[in-house]
């Protein structure tokens, strides 16, 4: 395989031209043999402030979009193309995307946090609208007419009412090109041709036909297969040293790689590598890093500092008073894992003077910085190329396995494919942190008079980047005996409730990485789902204390018309009957008992609005079953309604599973839930039916939809269980132990 | 290493591998049929599902020695040339994919179901997919796609 050249010399004359006349031979990947070689590194600008960093028009009229935001299986590749097609006035079918390649695409940080449409889409729209404006100006000049007489459509500019005077975009771009700054205020055309339509996703036909190649399906010429051999302290922040390795425990045709506590094996075939990983005998120093406890909260409590206040108004302690009408409640959330069905995988080809890594990372540039440090190379000599892997719901093992593969390739001097096992992924991929939320409140005259929130949380962000170097990949920790760097992120997301209270205080007690017990990082919504579970459960507890209908009680504390609209819409769609919870029932009422619960959240207190109603059945035999979930969703201008519904449904299903089933288990040594039997997720027989009311706001900017609908689900379910049974469950996974 | 004769997608293929090698790795690495995917290695998730002798079978736990001579169908063998199977088309029509890593297994499990029970109830579809996991939460659309395919096949 040819090593990609990273110096960007002599690819194109007329560097900087919007027109780049190169040809993507073989499409994005050479599919025939499923053996992949990198695209030629071309001389193209990468700076996010230049139009031609984002867009190219080929001389046969195709529009290449260079996106640092990547398709994680959510459909954004289609949606981003819709946005560009309208802003540039070209047909959707003429667009294509090159995504996540440090040699080709601008640095847009991470594809995360429901920001791809919100930020990435806005950026591409601005670049495309700027390009369209430049093309119109050039056409006006060339045709010697006022630009107001010109119409841009389908990649052409014509004089209105004169069919003979037409110029193709490609004809308008000359040697000088358009090395122009992106005008972030450039206006896209009013008329929307593709935005707002349910354009079918471009990736689905190949996926169902068996033609799509995930990262796991690709091969490098002459590569070996590798597997990691981990310490017994599965998933923990603190890890033991290697005491000894019996190199004779595996066959002669196996390479053993050890650097510090990083151990891996490689062999010519995948099965041989798997057997070698099983057979290799490694002795580790004794270490029991986990507490002898059912939950991490005593350990967290002992380690955390005092609360950092993130929102406050009025004198909350005075408003609470010391009467017996103060309600207090404690809500717990467990460590959870990513539900990626395909364990993480990477390809690496590390040579003397270059390194190329293919990864399903959410951020090719931050990963590059970690790999350069790990491999002791200059960043410019490392190229990271994104390839879609199994669905990703945050910082799973994708970055870690890329570092593993790179280390092994460097050590054995061959291209390597390293596939994590299911146990590697369940055990070692970063966890969504366990959290405890404590609330106190008081109602007076049917309203909330005081609201005090404090939570206890590890950081939800230990991703590569931010100068952390090799510290923020597992291989770096094992080689150097370090742990991830501390940044307090995500634990306070949606900690403030969205309601108007006269007296409130919201604070967070942060747990440092060294005290977090397990490796933690970003999992869908970061802390928003946990904090909203507490907030939206507690507002329901206060509504019950005030003997108010939960919907009316919420509306009494909300002014924002968009917030009120999602709540009123979901109540209407769900057929909500106004009354106090719990339902009054005779003790002899038959089971299963049914109940309904509602919850609302505005993502990060400033983006998408979501209100949900959950309907549950509770019985001693089957526990809690969620039968129906109704969602009202407002994320501004909708780019692709069906794609949006797909995302909302996915959020609902995954959040139902997270609420009812998912919890990491451990012993003194480390994580013990290492397969789907030990860590069950939602199955088909357990799925609820889902109904969705989309509220389109064409005059409002699009905000992200990859996470918001997850956020209110847990509280809606807990509130429904309370409605059905009168019992308040405050620990996730919600388990029914009492008698219904 | 030993020679085995596999009957995959109506073709006869010879492979030379260790007898205990799971069928999954033979399909992917020897025959290039990578639509069958590794998910757990323990028959818990369904990502590696193939149809073997008419039954939906997780290929990660079937040693190649036990798969020899059996008729095996993988996702690549479902279409008739360029014409997709009604089940595949139904997944497109319902846009029943998010990341799609599990979709091979969903389609193969549903195919075995529909061959056995042409018009299954919605509950029967959910039951037939009970050992197929989807992390993205595409459940409702997947069930809808199987229902649609059943209607189309029996029309």
């Amino acid at each position: 395989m040819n090593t990609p050249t990273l110096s960007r010399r002599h690819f194109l004359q007329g560097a900087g031209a919007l027109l780049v006349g190169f040809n993507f031979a073989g499409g994005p990947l050479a599919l025939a043999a499923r053996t992949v070689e990198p695209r030629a590194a071309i001389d193209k600008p990468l700076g996010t402030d230049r139009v031609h960093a984002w867009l190219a028009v080929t001389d046969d009229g195709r529009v290449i979009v260079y996106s640092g935001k990547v398709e994680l299986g959510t459909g954004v590749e289609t949606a981003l193309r819709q946005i560009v097609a309208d802003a540039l006035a070209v047909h959707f079918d003429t667009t294509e995307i090159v995504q996540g390649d440090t040699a080709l695409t601008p640095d847009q940080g991470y594809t995360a946090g429901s920001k791809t449409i919100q930020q990435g889409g806005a950026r591409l729209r601005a670049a495309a609208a700027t390009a369209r404006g430049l093309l119109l100006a050039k056409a006006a000049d060339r045709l010697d007419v006022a630009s107001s007489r010109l119409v841009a459509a389908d990649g052409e500019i014509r004089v209105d009412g004169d069919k003979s005077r037409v110029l193709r975009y490609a004809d308008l771009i000359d040697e000088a090109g358009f090395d122009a700054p992106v005008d972030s205020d450039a206006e896209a055309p009013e008329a929307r041709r593709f935005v707002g339509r349910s354009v079918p996703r471009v990736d689905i036909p190949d996926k169902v036909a068996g033609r799509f190649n995930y990262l796991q399906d690709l091969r490098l010429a002459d590569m070996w297969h590798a597997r990691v051999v981990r310490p017994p302290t599965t998933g923990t922040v603190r890890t033991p040293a290697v005491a000894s390795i019996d190199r004779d425990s595996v066959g002669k045709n196996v390479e053993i790689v050890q650097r510090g506590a990083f151990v891996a094996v490689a062999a010519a075939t995948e099965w041989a590598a798997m057997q070698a990983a099983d057979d290799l005998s490694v002795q580790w120093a004794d270490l029991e890093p986990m507490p002898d406890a059912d939950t991490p909260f005593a350990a967290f409590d002992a380690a955390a500092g005092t609360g950092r206040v993130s929102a406050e108004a009025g004198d909350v302690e005075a408003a609470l008073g010391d009467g017996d009408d103060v309600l207090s409640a404690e809500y717990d959330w467990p460590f959870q894992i990513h539900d990626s069905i395909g364990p993480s995988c990477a390809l690496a080809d590390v040579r003397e003077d270059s390194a190329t890594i293919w990864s399903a990372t959410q951020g090719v540039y931050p990963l590059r910085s970690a790999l350069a440090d790990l491999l002791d190379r200059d960043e410019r000599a490392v190229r990271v190329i994104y390839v879609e892997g199994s669905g990703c719901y945050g910082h799973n093992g994708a970055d870690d396995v890329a570092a593993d593969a790179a280390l092994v390739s460097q050590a054995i001097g061959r291209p390597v494919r390293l596939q994590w096992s299911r146990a590697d992924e369940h055990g070692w991929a970063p966890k969504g942190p366990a959290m405890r939320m404590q609330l106190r409140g008081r109602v007076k005259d049917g309203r909330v008079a005081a609201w005090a929130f404090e939570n206890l949380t590890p950081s939800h962000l230990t991703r590569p980047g931010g100068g952390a170097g090799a510290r923020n990949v597992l291989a770096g920790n094992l080689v150097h005996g370090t742990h991830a760097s501390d940044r307090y992120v995500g634990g306070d997301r949606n900690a403030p409730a969205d309601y108007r209270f006269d007296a409130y205080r919201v604070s967070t007690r942060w747990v440092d990485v060294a005290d977090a017990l397990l490796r933690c990082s970003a999992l869908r919504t970061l802390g928003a789902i946990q904090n909203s579970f507490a907030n939206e459960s507690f507002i329901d507890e206060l509504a019950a204390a005030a003997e108010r209908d939960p919907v009316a009680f919420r509306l009494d504390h909300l002014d924002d018309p968009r917030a009120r609209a999602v709540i009123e819409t979901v109540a209407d769609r769900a057929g909500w009957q106004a009354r106090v919870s719990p339902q009054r029932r005779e003790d002899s009422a038959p089971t299963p008992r049914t109940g309904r619960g509602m919850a609302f959240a505005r993502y990060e207190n400033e983006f998408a609005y979501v209100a949900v109603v959950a309907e549950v059945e509770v019985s001693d035999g089957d526990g809690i079953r969620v039968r129906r979930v109704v969602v009202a969703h407002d994320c501004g201008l909708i780019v692709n309604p069906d794609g949006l519904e797909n995302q909302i449904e996915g959020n609902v299903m995954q959040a139902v599973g997270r609420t009812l089933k998912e919890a990491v288990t451990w012993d003194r040594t480390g994580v013990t839930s290492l397969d789907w039997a030990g860590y069950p997720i939602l199955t088909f027989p357990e799925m609820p039916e889902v109904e969705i009311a989309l509220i389109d706001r064409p005059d409002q900017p699009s905000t992200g939809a990859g996470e918001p609908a997850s956020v209110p689900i847990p509280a809606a379910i807990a509130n429904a269980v309370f409605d059905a049974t009168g019992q308040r469950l405050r620990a996730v996974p919600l388990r029914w132990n009492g008698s219904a | 290493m030993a020679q085995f004769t596999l009957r995959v997608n109506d073709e006869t293929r010879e492979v030379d591998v260790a007898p205990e090698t799971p069928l999954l790795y033979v399909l992917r690495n020897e025959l290039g049929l990578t639509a069958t995917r590794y998910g757990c290695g323990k028959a818990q998730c369904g990502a590696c599902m193939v149809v073997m002798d008419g039954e939906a079978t997780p290929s990660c736990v079937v040693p190649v020695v036990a798969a020899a001579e059996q008729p095996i169908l993988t996702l690549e063998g479902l279409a008739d040339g360029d014409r997709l199977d009604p089940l595949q088309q139904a997944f497109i029509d319902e846009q029943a994919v998010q990341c799609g890593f599990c979709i091979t297994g969903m389609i193969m499990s549903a195919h075995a179901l529909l061959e056995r029970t042409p018009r299954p109830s919605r509950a029967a579809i959910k039951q037939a997919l009970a050992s197929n996991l989807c992390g993205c939460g595409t459940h409702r659309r997947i069930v809808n796609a199987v229902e649609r395919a059943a209607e189309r096949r029996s029309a």
Side-chain angles (χ1 to χ4, degrees), chain A residues 53 99 102 130 168 183 201 396 404 415 476 529 581 598 602 617 645-646 674 731:
Chain A
Q99 44 182 348
T102 56
T130 304
R168 297 160 64 239
D183 173 6
R201 269 176 55 173
N396 64 5
D404 295 340
I529 195 170
S581 280
M598 83 93 51
R602 185 176 186 194
E617 289 178 6
E645 288 199 12
N646 203 349
L674 298 178

Side-chain angles (χ1 to χ4, degrees), chain A residues 208-241:
Chain A
V208 302
R211 291 190 296 256
F212 190 88
N213 284 313
Y214 296 87
L215 174 58
Q216 285 87 342
D217 303 331
L218 299 179
R219 301 291 180 266
L220 301 176
D222 303 321
M223 73 175 197
W224 271 27
H225 290 270
R227 289 291 191 277
V228 288
V229 178
R230 298 294 195 213
T233 59
T234 307
T236 59
V237 173
R238 293 175 57 216
T239 49

Side-chain angles (χ1 to χ4, degrees), chain A residues 208, chain B residues 78 84-96 106-122 125 129 140-155:
Chain A
V208 302
Chain B
L78 209 50
L84 293 179
D85 183 86
L87 198 47
Q88 292 169 307
Q89 188 58 48
F91 273 72
I92 296 174
D93 295 342
E94 293 288 337
Q95 294 283 290
M106 299 295 171
I107 293 174
M108 299 319 289
S109 290
H111 178 80
L113 169 70
L114 296 184
E115 290 288 305
R116 193 170 63 240
T117 313
R119 292 303 297 268
S121 67
R122 200 167 170 84
I125 294 169
L129 297 174
R140 194 187 71 91
R141 286 167 181 247
I142 290 169
V143 175
N144 289 353
V146 179
E147 276 186 333
R148 182 192 276 247
E151 284 164 24
R152 194 172 293 164
R153 282 166 57 120
S154 5

